[in-house]
Amino acid sequence: MSAARTAILDRVRAAQRTALIPGASDAGRVLSDPARSAAEPGAGRVLLDPAKLLAKFLAELTALGVDSYVEFSAADVRERLRAIVGGKSVLAWGAGELPYDAGSVTADAAIGASARDVQAAAEIGVTGCDAAIAETGSLVVLSGPGKPRTASLLPPIHACIVRRDDLQPSMGEFFARRADAIAAAACCTFITGPSRTADIELTLTLGVHGPGKVIVIVGP
Amino acid sequence: MNAAGGFADRVENALADSHLRAALDRATSQLGSRRLLALATLDDSDAVRDAARAARLGALANLADNLERFEAKLIANGAQVHWAGTPAEANAIITTIAKRTATRRAVKSKSMVSEETHLNHALEREGVDVVETDLGEYIVQLRNDRPSHIVAPIIHLTKQDVARVMEQRLAVPYTEDTQQLAAIARQHLRREFLRADMGISGANFGVVETGTICLVTNEGNGRMVTTMPRVHVALMGIEKLVGSMAELDRCIKVLARSSTGQKITVYTTLVRGPRGPGDPDGPEELHVVLLDNGRSRILAGETAEILACIRCGACLNACPVYRTIGGHAYGDTYPGPVGAILTPGLRGLRGWNELPHASSLCGACREVCPVRIDIPRMLLALRRDGADDSKPRSLGPAMKVFAFVASRPRVYRGMAALARWSLVRLSRNGWIRRLPGLGAGWTKFRDFKAPAGRSFQQLWRERERQKGRAA
């Protein structure tokens, strides 16, 4: 181990003895109180009602400027996707990773193994997701085989297919319920609406690096 | 250190720039109201703020052990961990990684810590092309400028400024349309993302229990930097830890709300390690560089609490001083109330002891801070420390003279009348621009209110006289 490491840790240990951290012991107590740490402060009670999860999720998507479609069969999801994709070139997750059979819609799609410039030229990205967060309208994507991160990042449009069962009330709930899956993935990404910036005069501008348009299809 | 002249000169320049003041006023008030609206979307925002504060302070109270556990988890996840005591050490670590991986081009997402170490210059000296990819930071780089806000780096520029620099540096037609300006940046930076060998990011948080690096961005450049290049280097201060994913959730909840008024930023990226087996993309190597650079010294003292800062920028937007002078006047990486404490802490009070005075102590910073850092308390502590060795020697004799005068009513009245008479003559429209002698120190930075025409004693006598007449 490096000399810098030892020196830094020694300095930090010495500093901790004199550090003036207000309420630090208090902070420890609060967090170790199981009742307090289990409850997620600020999470809306309404989200504990599964019937309302979907409504909340859709409302958040609308507020973010995301188009959403709710379909009632796998075939309807596929036809909706076909209409959205139209004649555009596709970069998609592997067929086995998409929640429903997309059939011919993604048959000719670029995938994670395709050359970088082919992926970068795609006009629409088609992915599934590992969870969707009702409270914020977020799509959660865990990295893994058959799931190129580029599909939700490089194309100007991202179409994401969500299974209704994958809806989670909040980020905190997702962290708690899916801890093992999160720990097994190299990267976990929360996508909440289209890429945006407000750097120039605080004027909202979409699609600066990631997709400027996000479309969500919720399946059965 | 990069800004020319002393603090007073920088303030003078800022105050003379009406363009800057209009931009600051518009931006900071908008960000302030967005923050309020966003916090209102939480059932109990006070409880979430308390939880976020407890998470950050708890991690600091036991920082050494937490750092060791964080490191062990990262290594178990396949990452490589490096420790840097100084900016030079951090830059040396990263340039060495660049050389070993044959890196010629690097893309960077926003990192305040890399501003602290001047990483770009260090890499460029080694022949590595470094491109900033946050739109604001990209403009800063094109202009050879410095960021003036920790969240909105070009808060000091208008779209005309941006249009001009893009026209000159990128050889594109002049346009003031922000959508088009962003599209130009997208096109130029997309090429950089696709060909870069190394991605460099900061870290908003490090999670001890899982060895996770959390990055939040809105543009997607954070995702690009951690996805496209072969090598990902995350440079972070040693203070950025939280214990658990549950604690991370609390901190994310207040960070986006306090900085940009969103519930959550568009992209929240949790990086746990390099590309997993079978993953089609992601970096082959993940390096985490932990930088001290004065943080352990801050931790030892009265300003340790500032290390809980989550860099949301809310205190800048709320501060009447920042809102008037902007970020450049503070002279270093971190502006505003947080900078007034952090800069003297990181770089030493000598040379920076004016910053704690750049505050009216109104408490707006403490009010808006998502983790409730008591900034005014620490500003006072730093003012005291800065004053200790500069007590004027003339103070003792001066007090003796005052005692002599004040204990002799006739002399006192005579002196007061003389002072009043001369001050009124120095004033114009009720204000004195410049005082002579010892008083010059006061009027160097502020005007002095001219005394009222008559003294309290005179007014009192008149009042008594009028009463006598009325009776």
Side-chain angles (χ1 to χ4, degrees), chain B residues 33-54:
Chain B
S33 50
R34 284 182 197 176
R35 170 191 161 271
L36 279 173
L37 289 170
L39 278 175
T41 62
L42 286 172
D43 270 1
D44 185 352
S45 63
D46 283 339
V48 187
R49 287 167 74 183
D50 288 341
R53 173 178 172 82

Side-chain angles (χ1 to χ4, degrees), chain A:
Chain A
M1 289 297 156
S2 73
R5 178 184 189 277
T6 313
I8 292 169
L9 287 171
D10 285 351
R11 281 201 298 271
V12 170
R13 285 218 161 77
Q16 279 170 206
R17 282 194 285 276
T18 60
L20 195 91
I21 300 178
S25 54
D26 195 45
R29 188 171 51 76
V30 171
L31 286 177
S32 61
D33 176 352
R36 182 79 184 261
S37 62
E40 193 182 326
R45 309 278 167 274
V46 62
L47 295 178
L48 299 174
D49 175 357
K52 292 183 177 158
L53 275 186
L54 180 61
K56 173 68 175 165
F57 179 59
L58 296 175
E60 289 298 320
L61 291 179
T62 303
L64 291 163
V66 173
D67 293 344
S68 59
Y69 301 89
V70 179
E71 305 296 347
F72 295 92
S73 74
D76 289 345
V77 171
R78 184 173 61 242
E79 292 319 306
R80 177 63 65 188
L81 184 63
R82 191 188 306 281
I84 290 166
V85 167
K88 298 181 191 72
S89 57
V90 180
L91 167 61
W93 281 11
E97 304 306 323
L98 292 175
Y100 308 100
D101 178 20
S104 60
V105 183
T106 56
D108 300 325
I111 54 169
S114 307
R116 264 286 155 82
D117 52 339
V118 176
Q119 294 188 42
E123 293 162 311
I124 185 168
V126 175
T127 75
C129 67
D130 293 274
I133 310 295
E135 190 195 357
T136 53
S138 306
L139 307 163
V140 190
V141 176
L142 297 173
S143 63
K147 294 153 74 176
R149 304 179 200 184
T150 48
S152 57
L153 182 60
L154 293 180
I157 306 171
H158 172 206
C160 181
I161 305 164
V162 179
R163 268 192 314 225
R164 202 177 292 206
D165 284 353
D166 288 332
L167 277 173
Q168 300 274 359
S170 64
M171 176 185 261
E173 284 288 326
F174 169 71
F175 284 163
R177 291 184 194 171
R178 301 290 303 280
D180 291 345
I182 299 167
C187 184
C188 171
T189 306
F190 290 74
I191 300 168
T192 311
S195 159
R196 57 185 262 174
T197 185
D199 274 349
I200 304 172
E201 291 192 352
L202 292 193
T203 309
L204 179 65
T205 310
L206 299 181
V208 63
H209 290 308
K213 188 165 183 57
V214 177
I215 302 167
V216 168
I217 308 173
V218 182

